[in-house]
Structures are given as C-alpha cells and as structure tokens.
C-alpha cells in the first residue's frame, strides 16, 4: 500500500531547520542545554548559529553558572559580550581546576600553583566549589587544599580593600592580583563598619558585610521610634538630646555593655560578635554608637583619647560632648563628659593634656587602634582548643598595621613583624607573596637612607625575612626524597599501620596514625624526661607513633586536633565497626586531616595516606 501523503504542516516542518517548535520555545529550551552542545549546534545552520549566539541566552547561562565574580557581573543592560565573557570564565575554570589538581597531587611547586589560582580571586571560587562537590577518591586532601586556596583568596581580597584606603601603597606588590591600579577610596567612601567587618573577614570568610549592615540598619530603624526627629520643634540642643536618647536606647534598652569581666576576649573587638553578644570594649562600643547614629543623622566621631576611646559630638551652639560607651550599668546621661572633664581625667592619669587626644581621628588610625587591641587580646588570652583561631586574628591585625602604615606602625616594634612571619611560615606559607612585598618595601626603605639605629633595625628585619622567604621557596620547589621506612625490615614491627584509628589507653582521646618510628626518636633528651618516656613498661625500645589526635571538642568552626607522639603500649587499635565508624566521622570533621590523608578506605578500615606519606612508609 502506498504511503499516505503528509499533511501540509508536516511537510513544511521537515523543511524547517528548527523543526515544528516555535523559536521562543527553542530559546527557552536552550537555557537548559549544556554550553558545549549549544556551541556544537551553532555549526548546523545560520539559523541555529543566530539562535545559539543570542546575547540574552549567554547572559542567563553565565549568571546561572557563576555566583561569584571578582569584579561583579556587567551591570550595563546594553552589554553585548555575554558569550565572550562566558568563554573567558570557562577558560579560567579549566585553568583553576588543572592547577588545583596539581596542588593536590604534586607537592613540588604547590605554593606557586596556589598563587596562580588566587590571582583569579573570586572568579576561581565557583569551580573550586564544584570540584569539592565531585565524589573524588582524594576528597579529604582536595578539601584541605581547596580550603587553603580559598582562605588565601579571601586574605588577599581583604588586604586589597585596605590598600584602597592607603594612597602611598597604591600599585604596590602588597596586592596579589596582576598589576592594575587600585581604585582609591576616601575616608567617606570607607565606612567604619566596613573596616570593622574586614578585621573579622580576614579570619572568617563566611562573615558577610551585608549581614553586618542589616543588623545595624535594624538597630537604627528600631531606634528611630525613640529618638526624636531631626527637625524637632522642641527647643534646646536637639543634637545632644537625640544623642542621649540613642545612648539610652543602645546601652540601656538593647543592653550593649562593657565586657569588663573578660576584657581581653578577642570577640569584644570583632563587630559580628559585638552585635550578637552585646559586649564590647570602648572602641567597639563607640563604633556601634557612631555608625547607628550616622544612620539617624547624628554626626558622631571617634577620638584618640588614651587607654579608653571616647566618641565626640558637637551641638548646635558648638558645645562638645565626649561620650564614654564603656559603662557597666549606664544611666542615660552618665557617659557624657565635657571637654573640661576630659582634660581633668588626663591630668589625673598623669598624661600630657594634648588637645589632639580630644579631636576626631581619621579612619586609618581607628582601624590601626582596633588591630592593636586585637593583638593585645591575643597576647593575654588563651584558647587551647583554637575555637577562635587567635593566631590568625593576630596575623590579620599585623598585616593590617603593615599595610596601613608600614614605616610608622611596624618599624619601631620589630618583634611584631617577626611574630607575623613566624605565623606565616608555620601556618600560611602560601602567603609568601605578602612577605616578598614587605621584603621589597624594606629594601627600598634601606636604600632611601635612615639614621644608623633605624638602618640597623631594618637590615636585621630584612635579613631574617629574606632567609624565611628563601626557605619557603626552596621547600616548595625541591623534589623530596624522604627517608623510607619498611616495616618488614624492622626488628620490632609496629603493630599499627599508617591510617589506623586508635584510642589512648589512659587519656581516652581518639586519633589516626600518620607515621611511626621503630623506637623512640623524639629528639631532645629533656623532652623524653618531660614526657615520662622512661617510666613506660616497654621504655624507649618500642614503636612510637605520630598521631593526629582529636579531642572531640566541636568549636564554632570545626573539630580541633593536636599532633602527638605516642608509645605503642598506650595505644588501643579500634577494630569494633561501630566505634571505628564513629571515630571516622569525628576525624573527617577535622579540616586539616587532608594534610595527611586523601580518603577513608572502607575495605581496609583505615584512612588512605597522601602520596608523600605513602612513599615514606612502605607496607604501611
């Protein structure tokens, strides 16, 4: 039987390059098509080329694929280069993914690869997140190194923001990004709360400026109900009256208070914690008072009053009031002091009555003082479980001081600089770029001429810094040939292997083995005596293990860990499946576990070590 004739519409659809679907529906479908397929379809015909080249299509694909942008997505509605922008971002993704693979798999030149990724700034963030989402066999090591790269990107971004406030350093090597002029920001364009936010963000990249602003806006909106309007018809000094009403609102009704009982808790200097805990030190409480006041139209400034920052406001008739926000149980007016009262306080403290102590200070000086307060807190505070990461807070504060005023702030206190680079070498060697920028700065200062004492100090700092940079670069570039230990050749074979989970007989903590010695090799004799090695039943002539121990404490950020050196007789291997699974979960929560292990191996019931450790311990 002959084929029946096709309907007229069907014949025309077979001839149409797009089939029987209307073009607007095809464009809707193309939004869900993989970008590579869309590019291939462009080769079909001129009609498909035009549809798959549509600018709006590539805009939607770009915004759907990438949430993070180093410079923000184009805001011009007439921007016509979305396809080209997609291609450029895709190339960055490929580059960052390959570099990250190199970081994870190749210890040689690891820092150089990390720095190459960090130069992409936020443009690398999405692909790093996607790689983490892939269920790869090295997921622990990949998570560890991805976190290092992301923290490096975050720290360099924060430093870049500080640089925008410091004109003399614009274009300096303190910015990790490729050479490009920094956009200068004046004091007015750099809000107090933004600087306070940066001090938090350096350590915790999850802190968002929008959240800080939202909380401050909410306080201002609530305060507006109790603070009389600017154009009040009531006589007298409206500025003073409104400021007292705001003071009462914040420090009585909202119960912002002086952290007098735990003054050196570093959280009292961090705006996110001050807003959530309602506790602070003088400068952080004055900052809250000033930024909420600004939202209500009250001009409040901060002064450099010694030991105890005061806020200042000027009334309509020129009267100056100095406000002490660090009060235990304030009444609405007991924090307000006159100029004469402040001079009397200086006199009673035995401090010269310098008028600049009562004048407003520029924002860089305020931020420098906040950083100095954080350093003081770190110096006084102890945090054994590292829930607050005090080292990183000190590190960020010293970086800020160095960037804001490299010659005035850091040079007279050389130990701070050395402390900074002690942290950099031990915890953040990927920030060697910052040390190299400081090396250049010190070299230029030495060449510009200085008094003999100053030149000697600069030279000593420069020599130390140069040696540390050279050591970091040497370790990063060398091909390691570690000493190999084969358990089968040992007279006393260690019972436990690298990757085994264990629990301490006496102290009860759990951990995982990342190395071993056939007998005690703990180094200094005094340490052996201190640890009581010779009081052990088997003494020193037994295997000793390097252990990542987990104390089970979960801080705000992650499970803490301590590296220990443990005698075999004190270790109990975990063989019971339920207990082993529980310990596995605890250990995997430790953010640094990927430094030693790449994954959990369910078949062997132990953690699989990274390549560097596998090459050191043959047969486990």
């Amino acid at each position: 039987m002959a084929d029946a004739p096709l309907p007229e519409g069907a014949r025309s659809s077979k001839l149409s390059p797009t089939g029987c679907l209307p073009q607007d529906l095809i464009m809707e479908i193309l939004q869900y098509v993989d970008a590579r397929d869309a590019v291939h379809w462009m080769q079909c015909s001129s009609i498909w080329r035009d549809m798959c080249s549509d600018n709006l299509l590539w805009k939607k694909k770009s915004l759907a694929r990438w949430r993070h942008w180093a410079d923000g997505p184009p805001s011009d509605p007439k921007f016509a280069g979305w396809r080209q922008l997609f291609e450029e971002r895709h190339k960055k993704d490929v580059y960052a993914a390959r570099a990250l693979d190199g970081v994870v798999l190749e210890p040689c030149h690891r820092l150089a690869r990390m720095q190459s990724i960090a130069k992409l700034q936020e443009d690398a963030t999405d692909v790093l997140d996607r790689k983490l989402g892939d269920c790869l066999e090295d997921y622990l090591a990949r998570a560890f190194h991805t976190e290092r790269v992301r923290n490096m990107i975050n720290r360099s971004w924060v430093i870049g923001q500080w640089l925008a406030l410091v004109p003399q350093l614009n274009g300096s090597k303190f910015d990790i990004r490729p050479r490009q002029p920094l956009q200068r920001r004046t004091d007015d364009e750099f809000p107090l709360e933004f600087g306070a936010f940066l001090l938090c963000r350096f350590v915790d990249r999850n802190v968002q400026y929008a959240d800080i602003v939202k909380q401050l806006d909410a306080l201002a909106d609530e305060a507006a109900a109790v603070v009389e309007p600017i154009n009040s018809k009531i006589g007298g000094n409206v500025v003073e009256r409104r400021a007292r009403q705001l003071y009462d609102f914040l420090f009585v009704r909202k119960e912002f208070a002086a952290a007098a009982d735990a003054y050196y808790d570093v959280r009292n200097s961090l705006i996110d914690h001050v807003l959530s805990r309602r506790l602070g030190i003088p400068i952080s409480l004055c900052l809250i008072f000033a930024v909420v006041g600004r939202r209500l139209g009250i001009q409040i400034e901060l002064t450099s009053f010694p030991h105890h920052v005061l806020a200042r406001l000027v009334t309509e008739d020129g009267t100056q009031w100095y406000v002490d926000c660090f009060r235990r149980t304030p009444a609405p007016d007991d924090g307000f002091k006159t100029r004469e009262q402040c001079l009397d306080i200086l006199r009673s403290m035995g401090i010269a009555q310098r008028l600049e102590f009562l004048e407003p200070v520029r924002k860089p000086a305020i931020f420098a003082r906040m950083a100095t307060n954080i350093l003081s807190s770190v110096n006084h505070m102890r945090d054994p479980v590292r829930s607050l990461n005090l080292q990183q807070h000190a590190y960020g504060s010293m970086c800020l001081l160095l960037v804001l005023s490299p010659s005035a702030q850091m040079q007279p206190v050389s130990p701070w600089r050395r402390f900074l680079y002690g942290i950099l070498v031990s915890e953040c060697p990927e920030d060697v770029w910052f040390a190299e920028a400081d090396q250049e700065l010190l070299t230029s200062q030495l060449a510009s001429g200085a008094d003999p004492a100053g030149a000697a100090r600069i030279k000593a700092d420069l020599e130390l810094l140069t040696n540390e940079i050279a050591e970091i670069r040497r370790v990063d570039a060398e091909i390691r040939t570690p000493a190999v230990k084969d358990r089968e050749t040992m007279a006393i074979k260690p019972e436990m292997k690298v990757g085994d989970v264990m629990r301490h007989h006496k102290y009860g903590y759990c951990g995982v083995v990342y190395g071993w010695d056939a007998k005690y090799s703990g180094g200094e004799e005094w340490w052996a005596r201190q640890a009581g090695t010779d009081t052990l039943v088997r003494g020193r002539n037994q295997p000793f293990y390097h252990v990542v121990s987990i104390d089970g404490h979960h801080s705000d950020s992650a499970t803490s860990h301590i590296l220990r050196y443990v005698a075999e007789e004190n270790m109990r291997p975990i063989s019971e499946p339920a207990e082993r699974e529980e310990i596995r979960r605890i250990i995997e929560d430790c953010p640094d576990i990927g430094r030693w292990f790449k994954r959990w191996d369910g078949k062997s019931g132990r953690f699989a070590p990274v390549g560097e450790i596998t090459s050191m311990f043959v047969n486990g």
Side-chain angles (χ1 to χ4, degrees):
M1 183 174 125
D3 291 339
L6 292 172
E8 184 65 26
R11 283 200 297 271
S12 63
S13 67
K14 290 184 66 176
L15 298 176
S16 170
T18 62
C20 60
L21 296 177
Q23 183 168 333
D24 57 345
L25 181 56
I26 293 175
M27 296 302 298
E28 185 70 22
I29 295 173
L30 282 174
Q31 294 181 35
Y32 304 96
V33 171
D34 185 88
R36 288 171 294 187
D37 291 334
V39 172
H40 291 154
W41 293 357
M42 293 172 65
Q43 315 303 318
C44 296
S45 68
S46 59
I47 295 177
W48 278 103
R49 184 183 66 239
D50 291 342
M51 286 193 298
C52 292
S53 299
D54 183 75
N55 190 58
L56 182 59
L57 170 68
W58 289 100
K59 176 180 179 179
K60 292 179 178 179
K61 285 187 175 296
S62 297
L63 296 179
R65 183 174 179 82
W66 294 290
R67 296 184 301 109
H68 301 88
W69 301 77
D71 300 314
S75 57
D76 184 358
K78 297 182 180 180
F79 179 72
W82 280 102
R83 180 187 163 198
Q84 181 182 355
L85 183 61
F86 187 100
E87 292 174 352
E88 292 172 355
R89 284 296 304 267
H90 176 69
K91 290 178 182 178
K92 291 180 180 179
D93 280 3
V94 172
Y95 176 82
R98 289 175 178 172
L100 180 63
D101 288 340
V103 168
V104 175
L105 301 174
E106 298 290 338
C108 187
H109 297 296
R110 179 170 279 160
L111 299 185
R113 292 188 181 95
M114 292 176 69
Q115 187 167 334
S116 69
I117 300 173
K119 285 182 178 179
L120 300 177
Q121 293 287 299
E122 283 294 298
D123 284 348
T125 299
D126 289 289
V127 70
L128 294 178
D129 289 345
R130 283 197 293 272
K131 294 290 283 185
L132 272 183
D134 297 338
C135 297
L136 303 174
E137 67 164 13
D138 56 2
Y139 64 95
L140 291 177
R142 190 167 295 272
F144 169 70
H145 290 294
T146 299
E147 185 74 5
R148 290 180 68 192
V149 173
R150 292 202 62 184
N151 286 336
M152 181 185 181
I153 291 172
N154 178 64
R155 291 191 296 267
S156 65
W157 177 81
V158 171
I159 290 171
Q161 301 305 305
W162 290 126
L163 286 170
L165 190 62
V166 188
Q168 66 267 28
L169 288 179
N170 278 358
S172 79
K173 284 185 66 178
F174 274 111
D175 193 2
I176 192 175
R177 295 169 293 185
R179 297 277 64 79
Q180 57 184 6
L182 283 165
Q183 184 177 356
R184 168 79 175 119
R185 298 177 70 177
T186 64
D187 279 14
D188 291 338
E189 297 169 331
F190 205 99
L192 276 174
E193 56 267 39
F194 185 66
F197 151 76
L198 291 176
L199 282 167
C200 306
R201 178 63 181 261
F202 188 92
V203 176
D204 184 359
R205 69 171 189 270
N206 294 316
V207 178
Q208 299 296 323
Y209 183 53
D211 293 338
I212 304 294
V213 170
K214 183 178 180 180
Q215 292 179 70
L216 293 171
D217 288 345
L219 282 172
D221 291 342
E222 193 175 347
V226 298
V227 176
E228 64 186 70
I230 296 176
N231 58 351
S232 173
K233 300 185 182 303
I234 304 174
N237 283 316
V238 177
V239 172
E240 177 190 346
R241 194 162 59 247
R242 298 183 77 233
R244 289 180 184 274
Q245 291 165 350
L246 175 61
Y247 186 89
D248 176 65
F249 169 78
L250 289 174
F251 302 110
V252 178
R253 298 193 186 194
K254 303 307 292 184
E255 298 181 331
F256 281 88
D261 296 331
Y263 187 89
Y264 289 108
D265 188 328
V266 73
R267 292 175 294 181
N268 300 328
S269 296
L270 305 173
I271 190 170
D272 58 333
H273 289 285
V274 174
L275 286 169
S276 62
R277 299 170 70 238
R278 306 290 171 93
L279 291 173
I281 58 176
I283 193 169
S284 58
L285 294 175
C286 282
L287 186 144
I288 298 292
F289 183 54
V291 298
V292 175
R294 189 191 68 226
R295 285 164 166 76
L296 298 173
I298 307 173
Q299 185 65 30
I300 301 173
E301 299 164 306
L302 271 59
T303 70
S304 61
F305 199 79
H307 304 306
H308 197 103
V309 169
L310 301 177
R312 188 192 83 149
L313 59 101
V314 182
T315 65
E316 297 90 332
D317 61 2
T319 301
Q320 299 181 44
W321 285 102
Y322 295 86
V323 186
D324 181 3
C325 297
F326 192 74
R327 310 291 294 180
R328 281 180 177 267
T329 54
D333 61 348
D334 67 355
F336 283 68
K337 304 180 186 301
T338 65
R339 188 179 184 88
E340 291 70 26
Q341 288 173 320
C342 292
L343 292 173
D344 288 341
I345 292 173
L346 291 175
R347 189 182 303 110
S348 66
M349 295 167 61
I351 297 177
Q353 299 180 38
R354 292 162 54 183
L355 296 181
E356 58 262 33
F357 289 153
L358 300 178
E359 295 301 316
V361 292
R362 292 185 61 243
K363 289 173 184 173
I366 295 171
F367 301 141
R369 186 157 175 173
M370 294 176 72
T372 303
N373 285 333
I374 290 174
L375 288 173
S376 181
S377 294
V378 171
N379 192 41
H380 285 82
M381 192 178 177
R382 296 294 174 265
D383 183 29
V385 297
R386 298 187 64 191
S387 60
L388 297 172
N389 210 341
L390 297 182
Q391 288 272 77
Q392 286 294 308
H393 283 296
Y395 180 45
S397 297
M398 287 182 287
C399 287
L400 167 58
L401 291 175
L402 188 58
V403 169
L404 287 184
S405 187
S407 58
Q409 277 287 358
M410 294 293 285
Q411 289 292 1
V413 279
S414 181
W416 281 131
R417 180 179 253 118
R418 298 188 179 195
F419 185 22
L420 186 157
Y421 291 116
I423 299 174
L424 185 148
V425 170
S426 64
E427 296 193 19
C428 307
E430 58 269 24
D431 287 351
V432 65
W433 61 272
F434 186 86
E436 288 169 339
D438 191 29
Q439 180 187 36
E440 181 182 274
L441 178 68
L442 289 173
T443 302
S444 65
Q445 289 178 350
L446 192 61
S448 64
D451 61 272
R457 184 178 61 246
I458 294 173
K459 189 173 182 180
D461 279 353
L462 182 59
E463 182 178 354
L464 176 66
L465 183 56
T466 300
N467 291 338
E468 289 176 338
I469 291 172
E471 179 64 12
I472 291 173
R473 289 299 187 188
R474 183 192 66 78
V475 171
D476 184 49
E478 73 179 2
I479 299 176
R480 298 169 178 80
T481 53
V484 176
K485 300 178 182 180
D486 187 344
R487 72 170 43 248
E488 298 304 323
T489 65
M490 300 296 171
I492 303 177
K493 292 182 176 61
E495 292 182 3
M496 301 189 69
K497 293 184 176 182
V498 172
D500 279 341
V501 294
M502 50 72 66
R503 190 176 293 279
H504 196 279
H505 274 306
K506 181 177 180 180
Y507 300 114
Y509 61 76
C510 62
V512 55
V513 175
Y514 70 94
W516 49 260
D517 296 317
K519 61 181 180 179
Y520 179 79
S521 302
E524 299 291 341
E525 189 66 27
W526 70 268
W527 173 250
R529 293 193 300 269
Q530 186 77 12
T533 303
D534 294 324
T535 65
L536 296 169
V537 174
R538 295 164 60 185
R540 304 187 186 196
N541 195 30
Q542 63 175 306
F544 277 74
Y545 297 87
H546 298 276
V547 173
V548 184
S549 69
I550 309 296
D551 66 3
H553 173 87
H554 289 259
S555 67
D556 291 340
S557 56
T559 303
S560 62
H561 72 280
I562 300 175
L563 303 184
R564 301 182 187 271
Y565 194 52
V566 188
E568 186 171 84
E569 68 180 66
N570 284 331
M571 297 174 65
R572 176 173 68 85
I574 304 300
S575 56
E576 200 280 319
E579 184 181 10
R580 188 167 60 189
E581 178 64 16
E582 178 187 0
I583 293 177
R584 178 192 71 81
R585 289 198 301 268
I586 294 174
I587 291 174
E588 284 194 341
D589 279 345
C590 173
D592 290 342
I593 198 66
R595 185 190 298 272
W596 305 278
F597 302 100
K598 56 185 179 181
R599 70 178 184 279
W600 170 258
D601 187 342
K603 292 183 179 180
S604 65
R606 61 171 60 96
F607 285 94
V610 296
E612 301 102 289
I613 293 181
T614 301
S615 62
M616 293 173 60
F617 299 94
V618 179
N619 296 314

